[in-house]
Amino acid sequence: MAENLLIAEGGKEQKYALLYKQIAALTEGESDTIANMANVAAMIHFTFGFWWTGFYRVAGEELVLGPFQGPLACSRIKYGRGVCGTAWREQQTQVVPDVEQFPGHIACSSMSRSEIVVPVWRGEEIVAVLDIDSEHLATFDEVDKEWLKRIVALL
Ligand code: SME
């Protein structure tokens, strides 16, 4: 695995395709989940220049902040709260084009305008969520959803 992140020219599909390959190579050689989450957050973040990219891990009845890139964030989120807690409860990826329209959205940063949260599964259980925030409206769509699901499946 090269130490430098390669970023593809072209659109989102091209960028995700190359990102996926690099994440697959990296996670194949490393068994520690936290180390992998840390590098995955960094690789996604710097490929796309998102506002905030990181993981919250399931700990009892709460999500606890894990590895991330970006500004200071909330440390704990209760089950079912905000976009992250909703993804955990509903066991479904949440794509939020405008966070102000999402009931109960937790504003860790007033810069965040749209968001995607993807559950991370270990067998039948959700063990974490990947949360990405954008400072632009409607940043995330089906393309992000599909690739990010594939990426977290590597963890
Ligand atoms: N907005 C998220 C909280 C986490 S931060 O934005 C990093 C939510 O509503 O779950």
Side-chain angles (χ1 to χ4, degrees), residues 104-135:
H105 168 255
I106 303 164
C108 288
S109 161
S110 59
M111 291 296 288
S112 175
R113 308 289 299 283
S114 62
E115 182 163 350
I116 186 168
V117 180
V118 184
V120 179
W121 294 85
R122 180 82 69 245
E124 302 286 292
E125 235 183 313
I126 292 175
V127 293
V129 298
L130 168 64
D131 176 16
I132 307 178
D133 290 18
S134 165
E135 73 268 50

Side-chain angles (χ1 to χ4, degrees), residues 67-88:
F68 74 95
Q69 295 282 326
L72 188 71
C74 320
S75 301
R76 289 171 186 268
I77 297 172
K78 293 216 185 306
Y79 182 77
R81 292 284 314 282
V83 186
C84 291
T86 301
W88 179 20

Side-chain angles (χ1 to χ4, degrees), residues 48-115:
F48 293 102
F50 293 134
W51 176 253
W52 194 93
T53 310
F55 291 91
Y56 281 90
R57 294 182 303 134
V58 170
E61 293 299 298
E62 288 180 323
L63 294 167
V64 179
L65 185 62
F68 74 95
Q69 295 282 326
L72 188 71
C74 320
S75 301
R76 289 171 186 268
I77 297 172
K78 293 216 185 306
Y79 182 77
R81 292 284 314 282
V83 186
C84 291
T86 301
W88 179 20
R89 189 188 61 208
E90 302 296 318
Q91 308 196 334
Q92 294 282 345
T93 295
Q94 306 292 309
V95 178
V96 182
D98 180 353
V99 296
E100 284 178 19
Q101 305 301 317
F102 189 95
H105 168 255
I106 303 164
C108 288
S109 161
S110 59
M111 291 296 288
S112 175
R113 308 289 299 283
S114 62
E115 182 163 350

Side-chain angles (χ1 to χ4, degrees), residues 26 28 30 32 34 37 41 45 48 56 61 67 93 100-101 107 110 123 135 140 142:
L26 182 113
E28 203 178 72
E30 177 54 64
D32 188 280
I34 302 288
M37 284 178 171
H45 195 73
F48 293 102
Y56 281 90
E61 293 299 298
T93 295
E100 284 178 19
Q101 305 301 317
S110 59
E135 73 268 50
F140 306 102
E142 287 298 310

